[in-house]
PDB file of all heavy atoms in Angstrom:
ATOM      1  N   ILE A 116       6.412  -8.308  21.074  1.00 95.00           N
ATOM      2  CA  ILE A 116       6.651  -8.720  22.466  1.00 95.00           C
ATOM      3  C   ILE A 116       7.833  -9.705  22.429  1.00 95.00           C
ATOM      4  O   ILE A 116       7.691 -10.801  21.890  1.00 95.00           O
ATOM      5  CB  ILE A 116       5.418  -9.403  23.064  1.00 95.00           C
ATOM      6  CG1 ILE A 116       4.236  -8.372  23.072  1.00 95.00           C
ATOM      7  CG2 ILE A 116       5.672  -9.863  24.481  1.00 95.00           C
ATOM      8  CD1 ILE A 116       2.925  -8.964  23.494  1.00 95.00           C
ATOM      9  N   THR A 117       8.914  -9.261  22.907  1.00 93.00           N
ATOM     10  CA  THR A 117      10.195 -10.045  22.768  1.00 93.00           C
ATOM     11  C   THR A 117      10.617 -10.842  23.975  1.00 93.00           C
ATOM     12  O   THR A 117      11.121 -11.995  23.836  1.00 93.00           O
ATOM     13  CB  THR A 117      11.364  -9.084  22.360  1.00 93.00           C
ATOM     14  OG1 THR A 117      11.451  -8.088  23.351  1.00 93.00           O
ATOM     15  CG2 THR A 117      11.099  -8.452  21.028  1.00 93.00           C
ATOM     16  N   ARG A 118      10.354 -10.346  25.182  1.00 95.00           N
ATOM     17  CA  ARG A 118      10.750 -11.063  26.388  1.00 95.00           C
ATOM     18  C   ARG A 118       9.747 -12.164  26.711  1.00 95.00           C
ATOM     19  O   ARG A 118       8.560 -12.019  26.527  1.00 95.00           O
ATOM     20  CB  ARG A 118      10.845 -10.138  27.566  1.00 95.00           C
ATOM     21  CG  ARG A 118      11.966  -9.037  27.332  1.00 95.00           C
ATOM     22  CD  ARG A 118      12.151  -8.244  28.531  1.00 95.00           C
ATOM     23  NE  ARG A 118      11.015  -8.086  29.413  1.00 95.00           N
ATOM     24  CZ  ARG A 118      11.064  -7.415  30.570  1.00 95.00           C
ATOM     25  NH1 ARG A 118      12.134  -6.865  30.998  1.00 95.00           N
ATOM     26  NH2 ARG A 118       9.987  -7.389  31.307  1.00 95.00           N
ATOM     27  N   ARG A 119      10.309 -13.298  27.231  1.00 96.00           N
ATOM     28  CA  ARG A 119       9.545 -14.453  27.551  1.00 96.00           C
ATOM     29  C   ARG A 119       8.455 -14.107  28.664  1.00 96.00           C
ATOM     30  O   ARG A 119       7.283 -14.526  28.498  1.00 96.00           O
ATOM     31  CB  ARG A 119      10.457 -15.551  28.102  1.00 96.00           C
ATOM     32  CG  ARG A 119       9.933 -16.916  27.859  1.00 96.00           C
ATOM     33  CD  ARG A 119      10.929 -17.945  28.241  1.00 96.00           C
ATOM     34  NE  ARG A 119      11.828 -18.214  27.127  1.00 96.00           N
ATOM     35  CZ  ARG A 119      12.818 -19.017  27.162  1.00 96.00           C
ATOM     36  NH1 ARG A 119      13.108 -19.671  28.209  1.00 96.00           N
ATOM     37  NH2 ARG A 119      13.553 -19.175  26.110  1.00 96.00           N
ATOM     38  N   LEU A 120       8.805 -13.314  29.676  1.00 96.00           N
ATOM     39  CA  LEU A 120       7.912 -12.965  30.708  1.00 96.00           C
ATOM     40  C   LEU A 120       6.782 -12.151  30.176  1.00 96.00           C
ATOM     41  O   LEU A 120       5.539 -12.324  30.443  1.00 96.00           O
ATOM     42  CB  LEU A 120       8.604 -12.180  31.832  1.00 96.00           C
ATOM     43  CG  LEU A 120       7.722 -11.659  32.934  1.00 96.00           C
ATOM     44  CD1 LEU A 120       6.996 -12.732  33.655  1.00 96.00           C
ATOM     45  CD2 LEU A 120       8.522 -10.746  33.877  1.00 96.00           C
ATOM     46  N   ASP A 121       7.086 -11.206  29.259  1.00 96.00           N
ATOM     47  CA  ASP A 121       6.065 -10.367  28.632  1.00 96.00           C
ATOM     48  C   ASP A 121       5.117 -11.203  27.780  1.00 96.00           C
ATOM     49  O   ASP A 121       3.893 -10.950  27.803  1.00 96.00           O
ATOM     50  CB  ASP A 121       6.703  -9.277  27.793  1.00 96.00           C
ATOM     51  CG  ASP A 121       7.514  -8.253  28.551  1.00 96.00           C
ATOM     52  OD1 ASP A 121       7.352  -8.219  29.807  1.00 96.00           O
ATOM     53  OD2 ASP A 121       8.298  -7.503  27.969  1.00 96.00           O
ATOM     54  N   ARG A 122       5.630 -12.157  27.088  1.00 96.00           N
ATOM     55  CA  ARG A 122       4.748 -13.062  26.297  1.00 96.00           C
ATOM     56  C   ARG A 122       3.820 -13.831  27.209  1.00 96.00           C
ATOM     57  O   ARG A 122       2.638 -13.952  26.910  1.00 96.00           O
ATOM     58  CB  ARG A 122       5.618 -14.052  25.496  1.00 96.00           C
ATOM     59  CG  ARG A 122       6.010 -13.516  24.147  1.00 96.00           C
ATOM     60  CD  ARG A 122       6.500 -14.603  23.231  1.00 96.00           C
ATOM     61  NE  ARG A 122       7.470 -14.016  22.354  1.00 96.00           N
ATOM     62  CZ  ARG A 122       8.765 -14.305  22.365  1.00 96.00           C
ATOM     63  NH1 ARG A 122       9.323 -15.165  23.170  1.00 96.00           N
ATOM     64  NH2 ARG A 122       9.619 -13.687  21.518  1.00 96.00           N
ATOM     65  N   ALA A 123       4.371 -14.347  28.306  1.00 97.00           N
ATOM     66  CA  ALA A 123       3.532 -15.089  29.265  1.00 97.00           C
ATOM     67  C   ALA A 123       2.437 -14.205  29.860  1.00 97.00           C
ATOM     68  O   ALA A 123       1.264 -14.630  29.930  1.00 97.00           O
ATOM     69  CB  ALA A 123       4.402 -15.628  30.366  1.00 97.00           C
ATOM     70  N   LEU A 124       2.724 -12.951  30.155  1.00 96.00           N
ATOM     71  CA  LEU A 124       1.761 -12.033  30.643  1.00 96.00           C
ATOM     72  C   LEU A 124       0.717 -11.778  29.546  1.00 96.00           C
ATOM     73  O   LEU A 124      -0.542 -11.743  29.843  1.00 96.00           O
ATOM     74  CB  LEU A 124       2.390 -10.713  31.064  1.00 96.00           C
ATOM     75  CG  LEU A 124       3.194 -10.694  32.372  1.00 96.00           C
ATOM     76  CD1 LEU A 124       3.949  -9.418  32.544  1.00 96.00           C
ATOM     77  CD2 LEU A 124       2.231 -10.915  33.562  1.00 96.00           C
ATOM     78  N   ALA A 125       1.155 -11.540  28.328  1.00 96.00           N
ATOM     79  CA  ALA A 125       0.197 -11.278  27.248  1.00 96.00           C
ATOM     80  C   ALA A 125      -0.734 -12.391  27.015  1.00 96.00           C
ATOM     81  O   ALA A 125      -1.945 -12.234  26.857  1.00 96.00           O
ATOM     82  CB  ALA A 125       0.987 -10.919  25.966  1.00 96.00           C
ATOM     83  N   ILE A 126      -0.208 -13.630  26.998  1.00 97.00           N
ATOM     84  CA  ILE A 126      -1.011 -14.801  26.802  1.00 97.00           C
ATOM     85  C   ILE A 126      -1.973 -14.982  27.997  1.00 97.00           C
ATOM     86  O   ILE A 126      -3.135 -15.257  27.778  1.00 97.00           O
ATOM     87  CB  ILE A 126      -0.149 -16.050  26.681  1.00 97.00           C
ATOM     88  CG1 ILE A 126       0.620 -16.015  25.319  1.00 97.00           C
ATOM     89  CG2 ILE A 126      -0.938 -17.335  26.751  1.00 97.00           C
ATOM     90  CD1 ILE A 126       1.766 -17.038  25.213  1.00 97.00           C
ATOM     91  N   GLY A 127      -1.529 -14.682  29.200  1.00 97.00           N
ATOM     92  CA  GLY A 127      -2.430 -14.755  30.334  1.00 97.00           C
ATOM     93  C   GLY A 127      -3.540 -13.752  30.300  1.00 97.00           C
ATOM     94  O   GLY A 127      -4.676 -14.124  30.530  1.00 97.00           O
TER      95      GLY A 127
END
Side-chain angles (χ1 to χ4, degrees):
I116 300 174
T117 55
R118 295 185 335 175
R119 209 174 273 179
L120 175 62
D121 294 345
R122 274 196 209 112
L124 287 170
I126 290 168

